[in-house]
Amino acid sequence: MLATSSTLPMEMLLAAESAVQTMQPPEQQRDIEIRTLAITSEPVLARTGMRWQPDQIIDQAAQSDLIYIPGLWRNPRPIIKKSASLITWLQQQHQNGAIISAVGTGCCFLAEAGLLDGKAATTHWHYFDQFQKDYPLVHLKRQYFITQAGSLYCAASVNSLADLTVHFIQRFFGKEIASHVERHFSHEIRKSYESSGFFESTKNPHPDEQITQIQIWLEDNYYREILFPQVCERFGMSVRTLNRRFKNALGQTPLEYLQDIRINTAKDLLKTSNLSIAEIADKVGYQDTNYFTTLFKKHLATTPNAYRETVRAKLFRT
């Protein structure tokens, strides 16, 4: 196994736990219990020669919320053939509702278990052809670094796994904690989870087709001055109905959704352009630069100027 495909998400999750303890009130704090599991209690030999003593064997493990399957070095098939009990265990965990994430050749375990049949998946680029030959029922997405099919996630590389782990941290602990961890693990040189993945029902992850149309309209017009009473009039509903249906469909208000689009666009402009902060604010729909700066800091806990300086330092350091 590649040790980094286990140690990196562990360290990121522990960073999230530390952030929760200092950034959230006690009533919102949640502890993380991390365990390493193996088929036997024998130490696991990593690619580096490091021997890793597992905490438990899989037969002793309780139901998990989130499972990481590490990547394997070189041809994964010999190890997979010896891992029948692990395949069965993964099937059981999936049936019980666990989120399962695999990276690189570790994605073959999910495919071997039949969990990816008829679903999207990816793997390390070197094994694309062999993977497609071994698992013809899986919809291999060669052009994506991350795939999601229900509660099953595949990452093509360790870098993609880091992006995926930020997504999990946001899911469990909220956006502020995820942004905090992301900044401490060099997010400036990574693609975002949303931009690098193939997601099940991405275009319509909920059944409210009218809300989907409003999402598309907001994504196409985010740079304009948007007044939601006018949006409601355009789509034939009241403001109250829009807020209720948007919240039911996406878990956030229309304004929060619009702000996310604008802030993500601003991040890209800060990274890739020499536009001034005022120009970027205007391009993403904010005429008031001070308001834009305040909103940006609320989302990312840093100012636009500080974000740009950090990005440029990471991208152009020699």
Side-chain angles (χ1 to χ4, degrees):
M1 61 173 283
L2 294 173
T4 49
S5 60
S6 288
T7 57
L8 181 60
M10 290 170 67
E11 289 169 343
M12 294 179 74
L13 288 166
L14 289 172
E17 184 178 47
S18 297
V20 166
Q21 293 171 353
T22 58
M23 297 170 64
Q24 291 186 345
E27 62 271 14
Q28 295 182 12
Q29 294 180 10
R30 300 173 62 189
D31 294 328
I32 299 176
E33 180 186 355
I34 296 178
R35 295 165 297 169
T36 53
L37 307 175
I39 295 176
T40 73
S41 59
E42 296 297 316
V44 175
L45 182 64
R47 165 68 177 164
T48 58
M50 178 188 75
R51 293 188 178 274
W52 197 341
Q53 181 65 49
D55 296 322
Q56 289 180 308
I57 62 174
I58 55 174
D59 292 340
Q60 299 171 337
Q63 177 65 22
S64 299
D65 297 305
L66 174 61
I67 297 166
Y68 283 97
I69 304 173
L72 303 176
W73 184 252
R74 297 191 182 279
N75 185 358
R77 285 177 290 175
I79 295 177
I80 291 175
K81 289 180 180 179
K82 301 176 183 177
S83 305
S85 59
L86 176 58
I87 299 300
T88 300
W89 181 78
L90 288 171
Q91 292 168 338
Q92 294 169 345
Q93 290 288 316
H94 176 63
Q95 291 173 0
N96 290 334
I99 299 169
I100 306 178
S101 166
V103 59
T105 53
C107 300
C108 294
F109 285 100
L110 293 177
E112 189 72 20
L115 299 178
L116 295 175
D117 288 354
K119 299 176 181 177
T122 191
T123 187
H124 191 278
W125 63 267
H126 187 73
Y127 288 95
F128 279 159
D129 291 343
Q130 188 63 52
F131 186 94
Q132 199 152 51
K133 179 180 177 182
D134 290 343
Y135 308 110
L137 298 181
V138 180
H139 299 162
L140 181 62
K141 302 294 180 179
R142 296 176 182 237
Q143 69 273 42
Y144 292 98
F145 296 106
I146 295 169
T147 61
Q148 174 262 329
S151 60
L152 303 173
Y153 293 79
C154 297
S157 67
V158 173
N159 278 349
S160 299
L161 182 64
D163 301 331
L164 184 53
T165 299
V166 170
H167 167 73
F168 291 145
I169 291 170
Q170 179 172 330
R171 177 169 176 167
F172 287 117
F173 299 103
K175 188 167 187 176
E176 183 182 19
I177 300 299
S179 295
H180 174 86
V181 174
E182 187 179 38
R183 290 197 310 276
H184 284 78
F185 283 84
S186 301
H187 76 294
E188 307 85 17
I189 60 173
R190 302 187 195 279
K191 291 186 176 181
S192 70
Y193 167 81
E194 291 81 8
S195 68
S196 59
F198 177 90
F199 313 113
E200 190 177 72
S201 304
T202 297
K203 296 299 182 183
N204 187 17
H206 54 79
D208 195 329
E209 294 182 1
Q210 193 171 20
I211 294 300
T212 298
Q213 293 303 312
I214 295 173
Q215 288 177 252
I216 294 171
W217 188 89
L218 290 174
E219 290 165 1
D220 290 341
N221 295 276
Y222 68 89
Y223 55 90
R224 305 178 187 274
E225 180 183 10
I226 293 179
L227 301 175
F228 281 102
Q230 295 178 2
V231 176
C232 292
E233 184 177 351
R234 170 184 287 270
F235 288 94
M237 65 177 71
S238 68
V239 173
R240 182 176 180 181
T241 298
L242 173 65
N243 286 329
R244 175 178 56 79
R245 288 173 60 177
F246 217 95
K247 190 81 172 178
N248 288 341
L250 296 166
Q252 60 181 164
T253 67
L255 178 59
E256 290 169 340
Y257 186 84
L258 176 62
Q259 288 176 345
D260 283 349
I261 296 171
R262 288 172 165 175
I263 293 299
N264 286 332
T265 303
K267 286 169 62 180
D268 287 338
L269 291 172
L270 288 165
K271 185 187 303 183
T272 60
S273 79
N274 291 320
L275 295 172
S276 68
I277 303 303
E279 289 172 325
I280 289 175
D282 183 66
K283 282 189 174 296
V284 299
Y286 296 114
Q287 285 70 51
D288 187 335
T289 305
N290 290 331
Y291 177 76
F292 165 71
T293 299
T294 300
L295 187 64
F296 192 97
K297 189 172 183 180
K298 179 182 177 181
H299 276 248
L300 296 172
T302 188
T303 65
N305 274 321
Y307 179 86
R308 169 174 272 170
E309 290 174 3
T310 305
V311 168
R312 296 299 172 89
K314 293 288 186 181
L315 290 179
F316 301 111
R317 183 178 297 148
T318 59

